[in-house]
Every structure is written in C-alpha cells, then in structure tokens.
Amino acid sequence: MSHPSKHLLAIEGLEPPHIGDLLDLAESYALLNRSGKTQRDLLKGRTLINLFFEDSTRTRTSFELAGKRLGADVINMSVSTSSVNKGETLLDTASTLNAMQCDLLVIRHAQSGAPALLSQKVDAAVINAGDGTHEHPTQALLDALTIRRHKGRLEGLVVAICGDITHSRVARSNIHLLTTMGSRVRIVGPPTLIPADAHRLGVEVFTDMKKGLEGADVVMMLRLQRERMVGGLVPSAREFFRFYGLDAEKLAVAKPDSIVMHPGPMNRGVEIDSAIADHPTRSVIGEQVEMGVACRMAVLDILARRLPRNR
Ligand code: NCD
C-alpha cells in the first residue's frame, strides 16, 4: 500500500498506483460499512481534529463518522475568521493544535493553499477538505469510487463535468484524478465559468451543453458557487437552467446507461432538475455520500500507518 506523502493535500501529483490503492482500500471499507461492522482499534488513541473555516455538511460529518468508525477521538472545530488576519489565525491555530497533540488534521479553508501552509507548521498529518478554488481531494476519490462501482473501470470513460468549473475545487480534483486514471474528461459550461487555463488541464472544452453530453458515460453537475464569484458571471438562475441545467431532454443525448452525479449541496432547478436528481436508476448522488465515508476511512487509515506510534 503506497502513499507518497505524510499528508493528503491534493490529487495533483498522485500517480495511478497511489489512487488505485486508495480506491481499493475504500472499496473494502464500503463493504465493511454495509455489513454494519467497525474497526475501532485501528485509530484507537489517535486524535482527529476537524478544522472547518467554511460551511460544510457532508464533508465534515463524513470525516467525523469515518474517524469514529476507526476508533479515533474526534473533535470538531468550526472557526469563523476575518479575511485580514487569516494568515495569523492559521499559524496561531497551528501551535494550539501541536499543543493538543493532534494526529490527523482535516482542514477546510476559503483560501487556496491554506492546508499546505498549515502542513508545514503542525506535527499532524494534514488532509485537505477543500481549499478555495484549488482542490478537494477526498471528493474526487469518492466520485471515482462511485464511478468505478458502476462502470467497473475509470479508463476510457467519457466524463462530462458541467457548470461552474472556474470556482470548483471539486472539478479541479476530479480533472486531475480522472485524467491520471485514463478517463476522457470534458468540461461543459458558459465561457464565463470555464477557467482560463483549461487547455493545460488535458480536457476538452464545450460551451454547448448537448454537444458536451453527447455519448457521455458520466454526467457530473456542479453548484453555481456565487459566493466565490466577483461580479455577475451568470445571467438569471432561470436562464442558466435553460442552457446548462440538467433535465431529461439534455440527459437524453448521453449514453442510455450514463450515471448522474453531484457533490452537493444542490440547487434544484438551477443546475439540475429535481426529477433527475432523484432519478431512481440514473442518479448516484446518495451513493456518493455513502462512498464519502468509505474513502475518508481509507485516507485516515493510510495516513495513520505513517504516523509515529504513541507520541
Ligand atoms: C463542495 C465543496 O465544498 O467544495 N461540496 C462538498 O464538499 N460536497 C461543492 C460545493 O460547495 O458546491
């Protein structure tokens, strides 16, 4: 079982065997979770701190559950911070965490690069739970596991990632993971929400939703992240839905057995029609949440193996 670092800060830089190992281990945790069993000795005596500078429902609770299922002592810290003293707050926090002898630190922060900065200052293994518009590595792992469970592989699949790509750390991590594993990734959205560096990401760019969805195996929808937008990059929600919202008509051009994904939180009627979000066979949104717990257990497990025993 290989992992190239003490931390998990990004998908970029991981190679196929690292990703494959994490997914295989996560798959075994998915089976364990379904059987109702736990492995509470694995992280016994370890302290996991969830440090969230931004809102979260799924990510925070699934890290909490993952830590508890493996027997760690889990502490949740929600912090609000003003943008002027962010750097200072972060370094102060680092010394507090060191004093508490935290082993595993899960951090979400509005600033890209905050987890990497903190990883240089704390003794703990740091896991990025989403930093600004940069990366959200555990989301990409859970998405990949969900895809692999449905399609049996990642290689050669056509995956369309649609909507607000520019502001999405989920898109960035998924692009790195899926291209590394040999999927063909398309990004689909209005020109104002396609990142300027798209051509360097190894993806195909589409501004016409139907062309982007044609023949896709996987359709991944993203939330319009208005909190990260400067100025009006999209017209009205209604107009956005007309051109880029996923409904039955647009989905009809994807493969008949294609799956529909969304990391949540969803804006129903903006990027996705409710009937599609709740579709009994096409939507795998609920399974993504389930796989989130399994993937986070795998990440905690792999990183804990590298920690010194009983500091
Ligand atoms: C995403 C995030 O926070 O980056 N949510 C999540 O972790 N499931 C996506 C989003 O906020 O739209």
Side-chain angles (χ1 to χ4, degrees):
M1 198 65 65
S2 65
H3 184 72
S5 159
K6 177 182 172 188
H7 311 288
L8 179 65
L9 301 173
I11 295 292
E12 189 174 15
L14 295 186
E15 286 165 18
H18 307 138
I19 294 168
D21 280 354
L22 277 165
L23 294 180
D24 291 346
L25 187 60
E27 177 73 47
S28 71
Y29 279 121
L31 297 175
L32 186 82
N33 288 341
R34 284 201 176 172
S35 77
K37 296 199 193 99
T38 51
Q39 272 213 350
R40 295 202 197 273
D41 353 326
L42 207 80
L43 295 184
K44 198 158 174 248
R46 299 290 192 191
T47 301
L48 165 71
I49 298 186
N50 268 324
L51 181 62
F52 277 64
F53 291 89
E54 266 192 354
D55 294 343
S56 168
T57 319
R58 276 155 288 266
T59 307
R60 194 188 59 69
T61 46
S62 64
F63 268 113
E64 182 175 356
L65 205 52
K68 286 183 172 163
R69 287 204 179 143
L70 297 177
D73 297 320
V74 183
I75 294 158
N76 293 314
M77 287 170 71
S78 295
V79 203
S80 56
T81 178
S82 83
S83 51
V84 273
N85 65 10
K86 253 177 200 161
E88 202 180 29
T89 307
L90 211 53
L91 298 184
D92 282 348
T93 309
S95 38
T96 309
L97 294 168
N98 279 339
M100 287 177 176
Q101 297 182 348
C102 163
D103 298 293
L104 293 148
L105 175 66
V106 177
I107 172 176
R108 167 168 287 194
H109 201 286
Q111 237 170 328
S112 301
L117 176 66
L118 207 54
S119 73
Q120 292 162 19
K121 306 288 175 192
V122 293
D123 301 326
V126 175
I127 301 160
N128 179 4
D131 61 331
T133 58
H134 173 228
E135 279 224 34
H136 190 352
T138 56
Q139 179 71 43
L141 288 168
L142 75 90
D143 289 338
L145 182 60
T146 308
I147 296 172
R148 211 178 70 167
R149 287 169 67 94
H150 283 267
K151 301 290 166 198
R153 66 188 205 281
L154 296 171
E155 202 184 346
L157 294 178
V158 176
V159 182
I161 306 179
C162 311
D164 183 358
I165 312 290
T166 301
H167 302 98
S168 177
R169 52 199 179 204
V170 174
R172 242 160 238 282
S173 286
N174 264 299
I175 289 168
H176 288 307
L177 190 151
L178 292 166
T179 54
T180 302
M181 300 308 275
S183 305
R184 288 169 50 200
V185 180
R186 300 174 179 172
I187 56 177
V188 188
T192 48
L193 297 178
I194 299 285
D197 64 347
H199 58 282
R200 288 200 289 115
L201 298 172
V203 297
E204 276 184 278
V205 178
F206 292 83
T207 52
D208 180 293
M209 184 84 168
K210 278 198 180 163
K211 285 188 182 142
L213 293 191
E214 206 175 334
D217 296 285
V218 178
V219 181
M220 188 183 292
M221 301 308 300
L222 299 172
R223 183 176 67 91
L224 275 185
Q225 306 208 2
R226 291 189 191 275
E227 75 277 19
R228 297 188 212 284
M229 290 183 197
V230 184
L233 296 178
V234 275
S236 65
R238 203 204 286 169
E239 211 170 343
F240 184 83
F241 182 74
R242 200 172 131 225
F243 289 103
Y244 295 102
L246 187 66
D247 56 12
E249 192 205 329
K250 295 190 192 87
L251 184 60
V253 301
K255 287 221 181 104
D257 63 346
S258 59
I259 54 169
V260 175
M261 310 179 77
H262 195 304
M266 277 187 278
N267 292 309
R268 289 169 184 263
V270 180
E271 69 266 359
I272 189 164
D273 185 38
S274 255
I276 300 296
D278 300 330
H279 195 286
T281 55
R282 307 293 285 278
S283 169
V284 297
I285 296 169
E287 190 176 332
Q288 285 176 271
V289 179
E290 182 188 351
M291 293 309 128
V293 179
C295 282
R296 283 154 187 146
M297 290 169 85
V299 169
L300 296 177
D301 178 350
I302 282 211
L303 296 185
R305 294 177 197 197
R306 298 176 64 121
L307 287 172
R309 201 56 235 176
N310 297 328
R311 294 197 272 130

